[in-house]
Amino acid sequence: MFHFDNSYSRLPEKFFASVYPEPVEGPKLLKFNEKLASELGIEVDLSDPDRLAATLAGNVVPQGASPLAMAYAGHQFGNFVPQLGDGRAILLGEVVDQKGLRRDIQWKGAGPTPFSRRGDGRAALGPVLREYIVSEAMHALGIPATRALAAVATGEQVYREMPEQGAVFVRVAASHVRVGTFQFFAARGDTEGVKTLADYVIDRHYPQLKSAENPYAALLRAIAFAQAALIARWLGIGFVHGVMNTDNMTISGETIDFGPCAFLDEYHQMKVFSSIDQGGRYAYRNQPGIGQWNIARLAECLLPLIDEDQDKAVEAANAVLGEFGERFQAEWIAVFRAKLGLVTQGEGDGELVQELMSIMQQQEADFTLVFRALANAAEGDDERFLGEFSEPEKPAEWLASWRNKLAAEPDAAAARPAAIRAVNPAIIPRNHRIQEAISAANYGDLSFFERLLEALEKPYEERPDFSDLMTPPTPEERVTRTFCGT
Ligand code: AMP
Ligand code: MG
């Protein structure tokens, strides 16, 4: 069913542990992403759902797979752990998709591996559905992210704070190489391992760098730029990743690991949802700074490859870290300029955005709805925008400064409302809705999960059928804490 072409399993043995999934008792297909499967050239026999479920749960290992758990290390909340690795994920193998891109197919929750430490190697239904919903929503929003191929119930229980239903998530990624994968070898003083990995990554993700003057410095810059762009886009949709440890930052620039992530309802720059992020290390506005910190950890791993002369290597790496800051700023302003419907760069654009955000924060206005309502304001109707605030005076003043800016734009007024709607979503996976989908699924009802997925497929459209999914939570519906809960 899969046309595997596995490259990671051909790397030296120290890169992974070969391991087979542990079969589960009662695999049952919860959701299968047919569209993605066809993009990946996966041939499925939908007339035999039992066999499909068995394969997607790991009970049947498909032909051509070379199952393995990847080795990696990582900084978790700033503390270095020299060995993490896939403790509950097994890479089946790789396929080359219709566009010629190599993609990993991974079972998450398929049983213990040599990296499981004290964990059971399993996943619970709730986090599996959360990852399904959010990763597919990110994709529909146009933001690079790993994808959801399938969710399968295992028919077994997993024990977290309480017994929960078990599930397996089948994840698709450009690759699962992370900053922490480099750290695994660097921490062991294995420069050869770092080099093998860097060469693998250049081949797979950044082949154009092979001819660069210094391919490893160029690699560091390319990864830094991919992350700067990604994080700017997160901020543009009010996304809080929640656990930006170095083992959760990809080399490809895709968003990965949707454990405690959440989207902002009311805007606050220091918003945190994760129950374990007590210091707010991964708060909304800290994300670019943490991105840069993670890239600095990657830079440390690459130093010996960048230059034999340590001082020169450090100088080159520091230059890239500086560029990360500039690049992030440029990406951020580009994202927010578009959100305001501005097409030309002007002095004070950043201040105009900051001014709006500060009013939003003071008045606890909804991040998504405020920006969406700018499209109506661009059509001359301010009511919806002003209605998002409790006190209209300041937002009204802000609208006047915004209009001053717009007046200086080349005449794009006719196209502006549509342009604003094309970058400011109407529907995001709001936390209380994800929770609602999970709660119903725990009682065997997947209908709300299905409906939410359908709504999130077209996040930039306001479809009356889904108007209930556009609104922020009422005070009783609010979910302020999310859990890794794996
Ligand atoms: P995460 O915080 O989800 O990125 O996971 C951090 C580390 O913990 C990784 O090495 C995971 O493989 C491992 N891990 C998380 N949950 C489990 C589990 N249920 N069983 C085994 N390992 C786990
Ligand atoms: Mg992780």
Side-chain angles (χ1 to χ4, degrees):
M1 114 179 191
F2 299 89
H3 298 281
F4 285 118
D5 174 27
N6 306 331
S7 64
Y8 210 81
S9 64
R10 292 195 289 267
L11 287 171
E13 258 174 49
K14 61 188 174 189
F15 278 71
F16 56 84
S18 293
V19 54
Y20 276 73
E22 192 165 284
V24 299
E25 211 163 288
K28 190 173 152 276
L29 195 59
L30 300 172
K31 183 74 187 164
F32 182 65
N33 193 337
E34 281 178 57
K35 201 162 154 227
L36 178 60
S38 85
E39 273 174 40
L40 299 174
I42 299 170
E43 289 145 11
V44 288
D45 182 2
L46 290 168
S47 68
D48 191 352
D50 291 346
R51 176 145 185 107
L52 183 60
T55 307
L56 296 169
N59 283 16
V60 176
V61 176
Q63 217 176 13
S66 14
L68 61 87
M70 288 166 72
Y72 56 85
H75 275 90
Q76 298 187 309
F77 291 91
N79 304 308
F80 187 62
V81 185
Q83 180 164 314
L84 290 165
D86 287 332
R88 54 161 164 168
I90 296 176
L91 180 69
L92 284 85
E94 300 147 35
V95 298
V96 176
D97 71 13
Q98 279 171 346
K99 291 188 186 142
L101 298 172
R102 181 174 292 279
R103 317 271 293 269
D104 277 5
I105 318 266
Q106 189 199 59
W107 287 295
K108 197 168 170 184
T113 78
F115 302 110
S116 295
R117 292 171 292 165
R118 283 174 303 278
D120 58 4
R122 292 296 180 193
L125 179 66
V128 164
L129 297 185
R130 172 183 287 273
E131 178 154 355
Y132 201 115
I133 294 165
V134 183
S135 63
E136 286 303 297
M138 290 295 263
H139 172 72
L141 286 161
I143 295 176
T146 61
R147 302 288 308 277
L149 182 63
V152 192
T154 60
E156 295 177 1
Q157 286 196 325
V158 293
Y159 298 89
R160 298 294 179 257
E161 264 144 55
M162 313 177 282
E164 291 186 48
Q165 297 171 55
V168 172
F169 181 70
V170 186
R171 175 158 82 182
V172 176
S175 89
H176 284 86
V177 180
R178 320 133 189 272
V179 170
T181 320
F182 282 92
Q183 291 180 293
F184 180 85
F185 298 104
R188 284 158 180 76
D190 181 359
T191 304
E192 200 48 46
V194 176
K195 184 173 182 305
T196 305
L197 182 62
D199 290 337
Y200 176 84
V201 162
I202 289 174
D203 252 350
R204 183 162 175 179
H205 296 295
Y206 303 99
Q208 71 281 11
L209 303 182
K210 264 186 254 183
S211 54
E213 199 186 318
N214 185 334
Y216 304 112
L219 175 63
L220 179 63
R221 181 180 294 105
I223 298 165
F225 283 11
Q227 285 295 334
L230 179 66
I231 296 168
R233 304 194 61 188
W234 287 355
L235 298 198
I237 49 159
F239 181 72
V240 183
H241 181 282
V243 59
M244 288 177 73
N245 295 334
T246 56
D247 54 303
N248 293 335
M249 181 181 265
T250 59
I251 292 308
S252 66
E254 284 183 340
T255 313
I256 196 167
D257 268 11
F258 298 86
C261 68
F263 284 74
L264 300 177
D265 291 307
E266 77 287 357
Y267 175 68
H268 194 292
Q269 62 173 354
M270 288 310 288
K271 191 79 184 174
V272 177
F273 296 92
S274 170
S275 61
I276 54 171
D277 188 4
Q278 270 147 13
R281 180 179 169 90
Y282 300 138
Y284 174 80
R285 70 148 283 164
N286 287 351
Q287 295 181 112
I290 288 291
Q292 190 177 36
W293 191 89
N294 289 351
I295 294 296
R297 305 289 77 75
L298 175 64
E300 288 165 359
C301 301
L302 293 174
L303 286 178
L305 308 187
I306 291 175
D307 205 302
E308 281 171 19
D309 179 334
Q310 169 99 6
D311 292 340
K312 282 190 188 153
V314 169
E315 198 182 318
N318 276 334
V320 173
L321 294 174
E323 283 177 78
F324 176 96
E326 289 159 26
R327 187 63 173 230
F328 172 77
Q329 274 310 319
E331 297 281 358
W332 182 88
I333 194 71
V335 164
F336 278 87
R337 211 178 258 134
K339 288 177 77 67
L340 298 195
L342 300 174
V343 292
T344 50
Q345 298 188 21
E347 285 283 308
D349 293 350
E351 285 76 3
L352 187 68
V353 175
Q354 296 293 5
E355 176 62 21
L356 175 59
M357 308 268 277
S358 111
I359 302 168
M360 286 163 64
Q361 178 160 318
Q362 283 159 19
Q363 303 201 21
E364 300 185 9
D366 186 83
F367 183 89
T368 304
L369 296 183
V370 164
F371 283 104
R372 183 76 183 181
L374 281 176
N376 302 72
E379 290 165 337
D381 173 10
D382 294 353
E383 211 172 301
R384 184 161 155 186
F385 178 83
L386 295 175
E388 293 302 329
F389 296 88
S390 48
E391 210 279 294
E393 194 181 311
K394 280 194 179 156
E397 282 169 20
W398 185 87
L399 278 180
S401 352
W402 177 60
R403 292 207 160 98
N404 274 337
K405 269 265 183 238
L406 295 182
E409 292 265 306
D411 194 21
R416 194 171 291 134
I420 293 176
R421 288 192 178 100
V423 294
N424 290 302
I427 299 200
I428 49 153
R430 292 185 187 267
N431 226 359
H432 66 298
R433 296 305 189 191
I434 296 175
Q435 209 52 60
E436 197 176 328
I438 292 172
S439 302
N442 274 322
Y443 289 101
D445 177 4
L446 287 168
S447 59
F448 189 69
F449 166 73
E450 291 281 354
R451 181 164 174 261
L452 191 53
L453 283 181
E454 195 189 337
L456 290 165
E457 254 173 50
K458 292 179 178 159
Y460 296 104
E461 288 179 24
E462 278 171 56
R463 292 177 286 170
D465 284 357
F466 299 114
S467 55
D468 57 316
L469 302 179
M470 295 176 208
T471 50
T474 60
E476 309 80 68
E477 284 174 332
R478 263 194 194 178
V479 178
T480 55
R481 279 279 165 268
T482 53
F483 300 86
C484 283
T486 46

